[in-house]
Each structure stands twice: as C-alpha cells, then as structure tokens.
Amino acid sequence: TLHSSYAFHTTPSSTGIHSITSSRSPSLPSLHEVQSHHSSTSFPALRSYNIISSSTRTSSTFLLQSSGEAAVAELDDERRANLFQLMLRDLQIENVPLLGCDAREVETMNAALWTTMSELSEIDDGQKVCMIMEDIPIDALKAFATDYGNLMTQTRLMDQLPELQRISVSLLGNGVGPALIIETTDRTAEEMAEKTTRSAVEETLDEFRCTAALKSFVDRIVVGLEACPYTKTPDLSATGLEARGVDPGPVGYRFSKSSDACAAVASFWTSVCELLSVPETEISTTLLSLPAIGPGCNEEAHDRFAAVVELISRNLCLFRGDAVVGLVHFHPFYQRNLIHPVDKPAFGHLPPQSWLRSMLRHNGNEEAAKTLTDEDLDMSNYQRRSPHTMINILRVSQLNAAVGAKSIVDLELEYGTTEKASGITLYSRNAIRLAEEGKDKLQEAVDKEVNMSLGKG
C-alpha cells in the first residue's frame, strides 16, 4: 500500500479555492492544519508571477523537456521557480484555467482535488485545468497522482468506475512546482450512454425521504439491536463514554444525490472537513448518504458500491487518515463474501465471514459456534444493510475510547493460522442476535426501509 508522508494533524485553519484565470471559485469548510515538510524552495505568490522573456523561455523549455524528475530535483531554487512560472504562463497562453487552492491540509487538498474532478466529470467535452497548491508538499501531490495512475491500471476496480477512465491526473513539469494537471477527454458515445443510464436515478431521490429511511434503520439495528452500544437514539451518538473523556453529540446526516464516483469522494472529503472542524459536541459522527451509488438490491449494485467505497478508503489511507477517521460502509445488499479481499480484513467492512466461528469461540460463545449454521451466520450482514449506500464517518478518538487499548487480539482461525482481529465481543454478540431475528424478519424490514427511501411506502 502506498502511503504519503504527508499526514493528518489537529490545528484549526481555513482554506478555499480561488480562480486565477477563471471565474469559477468553489469554497470548502474550515479544516485542521497538517504539519508539512517543505523543502527550502520558496516560490513567488501566484499574483506575483511575471511573464518570462522569449529567450529565457526557449532555453528553459528545452531544459525542462530534456530533464526527468531527478534532474528537476537538482535544479537550484531560482531556476525551478522560473521554470514553474514559465509553465504556468504556457498554460495561460493555452487558455487552461489556473486554479489556486489555499489548502494546507490533507483533507482540504483532497476535497479540492475531488471536487474539481467531479465538476470536470460532469462536462461531456474534454477539459484541462491546473490546480496550484503552494502550501502542499510536492511529495503529497506526487503521491496523489501516482496512486491515481496505479488505480487506472487495476481492472477489478476500473470496471466498476468507468467515469474515471476519461480523467487523468499528473504533476506539472515532473514536480517543478506545487501543481497538478487534471485533464479529461471528450466523452464517447459509449460513455455518454453509461452516464445517462447511471444518472437516471438522481432525479428520483429526495433527501428528506432518504434521511427518514436511514434513521429508521439506525433506530432498528444500531439502537434497537444494540449494534453499537454507545448510540441510544438516531440523533445522538457517543452516549456513555463520558468517563473516558468523550462527550455525547449530535449525529450529522449528510446527503449527495450524485451518481458520479468523483462526486462521492468529494462529498466524503467535504464531510471529513466539516467533522474535524467542529468539536464532538456539535457533530459527534457523520452518516453520509450516497443513494445514487450502487442503487438497488442486487450483486451488480453491490459491486459498484464496493468499488466506490474502496476508492474512498484507499484515498483516506494513502495519507494515513485512518489514524484520525474511521469508516463503516453500508449497502442494502451488503454481503461480506462479495467484498475484496474475501478472507482478509477490508477497511470499513465487517470482518471476513469465515472468521465468525473463530470469533465466537474466542469470545466464549462455544455453543453458538457449534450450533449456528452458515445461513445463520450470514444474517450478520444485515447489520450493514441500510436502505441505500451510506458511510459512517467516525472520530478515531471515540473508537479508541469505546473499544479500549486491548481491542486488538490474536485470533486463531479454523485452519491453524492466526490473524489480528478487533471488536470480537461486539461482532459475536451481533451475529447471535441477528441469527435469532431470522432472515424473513430482517429482510422485510430492509425492504420496507428501501421503499421508504424511494417514496414507495
């Protein structure tokens, strides 16, 4: 797994995107400052860039074109700054919008990048923009571009993320300055058909209905069956953790009706920005509804859901955000045996279903481990079967307070291997309770909430 050395920190700050050569100016919430490790290179402020003379331009362009990434790194500060200005000037001549972003943090950087990518993804004609982030280390921008390039080669995911295939992300000038080029190709007839089919559901969605259905699920599973013992109502979280330094706070319900994967990732990062910019007494945890991502109760819909949430988890972990934010993924057809990897932990998902009997035995539930059938244990998936795709974004500080320092244990599996596992008590209890509920009752409730979300019941 690729990790960037640029990671989360916890000092409040604010940021936004501003257009240097374009009228577009989306903004982002206030966030948490990240400690960065800049080189000593100092570039002029964007408003101070000067047009370089034609003679300097010719020699600098030749040097840049003949230099690889290593050669660029060896240039002195003045030459790098001049080359960076030159390349920005060339982009201006090409009428490429230069978008300056005031981001200084992991979460703002990602929110800005994915928001821009989602906007470009909606436009059928090919586009090209340059995003300039002077306060972000070039290594962090490189990590983003490299991981995105790796993603494009992974057929398993890209088959479920077709809208990303026309989007490319690259470092400007081999990293001569803190900027990324985001470019899209013209949408083909086949891609137009995919977009039309995928986005048809968007106009049928209603935030009020979706939120009401989601609250019904939370009340039934999370509160009623105590899938999370620290949530006592659909609107209040982290109850009962005061002695461990955590105050209860409201649950934030957030919603995006877009079917586009880039928009889903952008909504996720915007929600992270919001959550981390306020105390837990204002927003304790966030439930982000993405009903147009993998809509439906079938394997095809589940495959799309799984790919999009894997993209989100991957992007978060790239910058070690999993040390600050935890994720829990939900879908109306949730099936752990359809999540990659099947027999290993997957961030934000239930433990592998093949581990459940071992978890029951480890927890002292020997009788349940012997008597529950595979079909009974399959009911465990219902704790993640919400009325539509949803991501619970949690504060890791609260998770640590809830599970304690000894949550991770060595779990001996049935075939003699040992794996690290956590949450064994909770997952064991949930497996037993859901098996007792039975499939008919559980599926009837899911169907009712799905119909509520769609306005059919």
Side-chain angles (χ1 to χ4, degrees), residues 287-344:
L287 303 186
L288 173 61
S289 289
L290 301 169
I293 299 297
C297 296
N298 53 62
E299 190 169 333
E300 180 181 3
H302 188 275
D303 288 346
R304 168 70 170 176
F305 145 78
V308 172
V309 298
E310 183 175 340
L311 173 63
I312 288 171
S313 296
R314 171 192 186 125
N315 194 220
L316 177 70
C317 294
L318 173 65
F319 296 98
R320 303 177 183 176
D322 52 323
V324 178
V325 173
L327 304 183
V328 186
H329 302 309
F330 297 80
H331 186 269
F333 194 73
Y334 189 93
Q335 182 66 48
R336 181 59 181 87
N337 283 339
L338 296 177
I339 298 296
H340 177 82
V342 172
D343 293 318
K344 294 288 184 179

Side-chain angles (χ1 to χ4, degrees), residues 220-221 225 379 382 433-449:
R220 177 175 62 87
I221 292 291
L225 291 180
M379 297 304 102
Y382 278 92
R433 289 181 178 177
L434 289 163
E436 291 172 346
E437 287 286 295
K439 182 174 182 178
D440 290 344
K441 182 178 180 180
L442 290 167
Q443 188 58 48
E444 181 181 359
V446 172
D447 293 341
K448 180 180 178 180
E449 287 160 357

Side-chain angles (χ1 to χ4, degrees), residues 67-74 142 171 174-175:
S67 299
E69 184 178 325
V72 168
E74 294 176 359
K142 179 183 177 182
L171 273 175
N174 291 320

